[in-house]
Amino acid sequence: MRTTILLVSLLAAALAGACCAPAPPPPGHSDAVTGTVTYRERMALPEGAVLRVLLLDIDAPDVPDWIVARSERPVEGQVPLDFSLGYDPHAIVEAVRYGVAAELLVEGEVWFATPEPVPVLTQGAPDRVDLVLRRAP
């Protein structure tokens, strides 16, 4: 009798854990958004430039973009620059739209930025994008 109660309790606990498990990432996506960053101006970035890439929840037009993931690193070389932005796949909801934005900073000042976030991850959007930045005003 004790064995039966123990087995039933273990089975109930396993089923309860399965129903509350986090959802898997969207199909066909890894745990990173990847791509390249470039700009059209014919100028070299100075030493000490920094690349900032953000994964944003862009679905709510009345509130500021919510940052899902962020990466900042020193620039090595010149454009095009590769990036890989890791994120928590359990934070991604298929019904929500996400976008990637990037900035190139020099001495803390934004020199180049994406004009608008580029859709990624959900609702048929890819997990790899090529971003073309514009000169900041």
Side-chain angles (χ1 to χ4, degrees), residues 3 31 44 58 71 74 78 86 88 100 110 127:
T3 305
D31 296 349
I58 58 173
S71 169
Q78 297 296 323
D88 177 1
V100 170
V110 177
D127 60 358

Side-chain angles (χ1 to χ4, degrees), residues 14-34:
L15 289 174
C19 78
C20 301
H29 292 287
S30 66
D31 296 349
V33 176
T34 61

Side-chain angles (χ1 to χ4, degrees), residues 4-136:
T4 304
I5 293 172
L6 179 61
L7 287 174
V8 170
S9 298
L10 289 173
L11 180 59
L15 289 174
C19 78
C20 301
H29 292 287
S30 66
D31 296 349
V33 176
T34 61
T36 61
V37 170
T38 192
Y39 51 82
R40 292 199 169 111
E41 285 80 352
R42 298 190 67 164
M43 62 182 287
L45 287 170
E47 228 175 280
V50 172
L51 172 62
R52 177 185 297 154
V53 182
L54 305 170
L55 176 60
L56 306 166
D57 173 344
I58 58 173
D59 224 12
D62 298 335
V63 296
D65 293 330
W66 180 60
I67 298 174
V68 177
R70 172 189 189 119
S71 169
E72 272 191 33
R73 67 172 173 86
V75 171
E76 295 176 10
Q78 297 296 323
V79 295
L81 303 168
D82 293 327
F83 73 87
S84 181
L85 178 60
Y87 63 89
D88 177 1
H90 300 111
I92 303 302
V93 177
E94 185 62 34
V96 174
R97 291 181 317 127
Y98 299 91
V100 170
E103 298 173 324
L104 284 167
L105 299 96
V106 176
E107 296 179 5
E109 181 182 330
V110 177
W111 277 28
F112 294 93
T114 48
E116 293 184 14
V118 176
V120 292
L121 297 180
T122 58
Q123 302 178 15
D127 60 358
R128 185 186 186 321
V129 291
D130 297 315
L131 304 174
V132 179
L133 282 57
R134 291 191 187 156
R135 183 82 171 151

